[in-house]
């Protein structure tokens, strides 16, 4: 696929899931559409689309960078994405251990709190889905 935006949308859906991407797309306005196009083509259509490293590794890097830079808002989204990228809970734990040593305990601690909350929500949804079958 040579169109970075089309490839980006495909990869974004594979990593974040259709529900998330559909919600994000529906929430777009004329004001933020150029920004959404930029991240779809560049982050998803170029960086995440590269096969030089695995999506598992990319998930771990993304979580570490978000935590290390204090960009906590996207951590839950990327924790949920680990279900599709193959990054295990042990991988995430190790990733945040690195953040504690190299970027600071408070940032790692907050990221760990967000990860725990997100995993608990994911587990509750999975249990509810199984109970509804």
């Amino acid at each position: 696929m040579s169109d970075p935006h089309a490839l980006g949308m495909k990869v974004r859906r594979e990593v974040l899931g259709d529900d998330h991407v559909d919600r994000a797309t529906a929430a777009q306005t004329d004001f933020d559409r150029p920004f959404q196009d930029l991240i779809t083509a560049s982050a998803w259509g170029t960086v995440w689309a590269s096969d030089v490293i695995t999506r598992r590794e990319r998930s771990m890097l993304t979580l570490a960078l978000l935590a290390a830079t204090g960009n906590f808002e996207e951590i839950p989204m990327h924790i949920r994405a680990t279900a599709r990228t193959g990054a295990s809970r042990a991988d995430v734990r190790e990733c945040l251990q690195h953040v504690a040593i190299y970027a600071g305990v408070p940032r790692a601690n907050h990221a760990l709190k967000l990860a725990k909350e997100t995993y608990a929500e994911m587990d509750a949804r999975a249990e509810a889905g199984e109970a509804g079958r």
Side-chain angles (χ1 to χ4, degrees), residues 46 48 103:
T46 302
W48 275 87

Side-chain angles (χ1 to χ4, degrees), residues 3-118:
D3 175 15
H5 189 274
L7 177 58
M9 191 57 75
K10 176 184 178 295
V11 171
R12 190 176 178 192
R13 286 183 178 284
E14 291 170 359
V15 172
L16 300 177
D18 288 332
D19 290 343
H20 174 87
V21 176
D22 289 345
R23 281 191 308 276
T25 303
Q28 284 181 6
T29 66
D30 288 340
F31 180 74
D32 70 337
R33 187 166 288 109
F35 175 77
Q36 293 297 322
D37 289 343
L38 172 72
I39 62 172
T40 298
S42 60
W44 297 104
T46 302
V47 174
W48 275 87
S50 170
D51 62 359
V52 175
I53 62 173
T54 66
R55 287 191 181 166
R56 174 185 164 265
E57 293 164 324
R58 211 168 290 284
S59 270
M60 293 166 28
L61 282 168
T62 301
L63 286 163
L65 288 165
L66 289 170
T69 57
N71 290 299
F72 299 113
E73 188 172 308
E74 290 197 355
I75 286 178
M77 174 181 71
H78 281 282
I79 291 292
R80 286 188 293 275
T82 63
R84 292 178 184 82
T85 65
S88 69
R89 292 177 190 208
D91 291 334
V92 171
R93 182 182 60 236
E94 291 300 314
C95 164
L96 296 177
Q97 297 277 50
H98 265 67
V99 170
I101 298 303
Y102 292 101
V105 170
R107 288 187 175 188
N109 188 46
H110 188 62
L112 187 62
K113 174 185 174 250
L114 294 171
K116 284 171 52 176
E117 290 171 355
T118 306

